[in-house]
Amino acid sequence: MQFITDDIKNTLPPCVATIGCFDGVHRGHRYLIRQVTQIGQEKGLHTTLITFPVHPRQVMQSDYQPQLLSCLPQKEALIQTLQVDYCLMMSFTRELSKLSAYEFMKLLHERYNVCALVIGYDHRFGHNRTETFKDYCRYGAELGIEVTQARALVEDGVSVSSSVIRNLLNNGEIAEANHYLSYRYFLDGTVIDGYKMGRKMGFPTANLQPSCSNKLIPAEGVYAVYVYIDEVRYMGMLNIGYRPTVHNGDNRSIEVYIIDFSGDIYHKQIRIEFMERIRREQKFESVNALISQLNQDKDTVIRILGNRV
């Protein structure tokens, strides 16, 4: 795997390529890549994945706030695990957005030596995205690009996509989201100062400031998670929400109680992997009632994670 930028000209070998945002690099994306690899093997072509460092809608709409499954460093690390020869990081610009589908395909052929193009089953490109797959095939025949439409990965009637996974995470359906991702959804971030209320209740927590401001935060609630500190894994009980029992106001917090851990981790980088949501966030009649529930939650987390690898 070699990462390249769009300032390369005429130095790539003939290749079969596919293009997309590839947010999350999930099982649907991996199924698409396997189709690209198969075509590459059949035709003796190198394989290239074309994606964007910045979401195209952020370029076109400055106020757009995407709910990303993976920010750029995370996406690059996931792409690195794929069986492709090149990953072209193409800068999406307003000038690029004005190209017609024909002009864009001509650019791919002349600048990046794309001889075959695999198009996602629901993917459109070109200015205003008005052209159809039949148009792409017609343009490809003229330019010398063989165009193939990829098959979707469908499981139990569901076409695996980034939007499906986002909906699951927004509903707290972690197990299903992890299945479609092919890995555990995670947040990277820095431990910051919090209100220290958990310490007073016997559950000292680490407050997380996510490293990517646009990464999707799952639904409010209490989760069984794994916490990685200096590459050591711990069980954790994480809460996402507004802590209504202690009147946290409008400030959403992401705080994790790390089971069987003691130490100063302020300002350290940690990773949190989501395993299961055990309940929604709720307001209790008293702090003592909350403490009682937290003890039950801890037992539930240990039971869940104790049965996982």
Side-chain angles (χ1 to χ4, degrees), residues 23 55 57-68 166 212-216:
D23 183 25
H55 195 290
R57 281 188 63 183
Q58 286 182 283
V59 176
M60 304 305 294
Q61 301 169 237
S62 59
D63 59 345
Y64 176 66
Q65 297 294 324
Q67 286 192 311
L68 297 175
R166 288 189 194 99
C212 176
S213 61
N214 287 322
K215 184 154 184 176
L216 186 153

Side-chain angles (χ1 to χ4, degrees), residues 72-118:
L72 184 58
Q74 297 166 353
K75 183 166 79 169
E76 289 178 336
L78 290 165
I79 288 174
Q80 189 71 49
T81 67
L82 301 175
Q83 299 300 311
V84 294
D85 297 313
Y86 300 99
C87 177
L88 169 60
M89 287 290 178
M90 179 177 285
S91 300
F92 190 88
T93 62
R94 290 187 176 273
E95 291 71 25
L96 188 68
S97 73
K98 294 175 183 177
L99 296 181
S100 67
Y102 178 86
E103 291 169 331
F104 182 67
M105 290 178 65
K106 184 178 181 181
L107 173 72
L108 295 182
H109 184 59
E110 294 182 351
R111 189 179 184 108
Y112 305 113
N113 219 349
V114 174
C115 300
L117 183 64
V118 180

Side-chain angles (χ1 to χ4, degrees), residues 239-253:
N239 184 79
I240 298 174
Y242 300 91
R243 307 193 306 169
T245 305
V246 294
H247 309 292
N248 195 43
D250 296 328
N251 298 315
R252 181 179 63 181
S253 62

Side-chain angles (χ1 to χ4, degrees), residues 204-207 225 227 236-239 254-258 270 272:
T205 59
N207 286 261
V225 301
V227 184
M237 179 172 70
L238 178 132
N239 184 79
I254 306 170
E255 51 185 337
V256 60
Y257 168 64
I258 307 170
I270 66 173
I272 293 173

Side-chain angles (χ1 to χ4, degrees), residues 115-134:
C115 300
L117 183 64
V118 180
I119 298 174
Y121 71 97
D122 61 349
H123 187 67
R124 294 283 187 90
F125 58 85
H127 185 60
N128 293 330
R129 301 192 297 178
T130 56
E131 285 125 320
T132 66
F133 179 72
K134 288 184 178 180

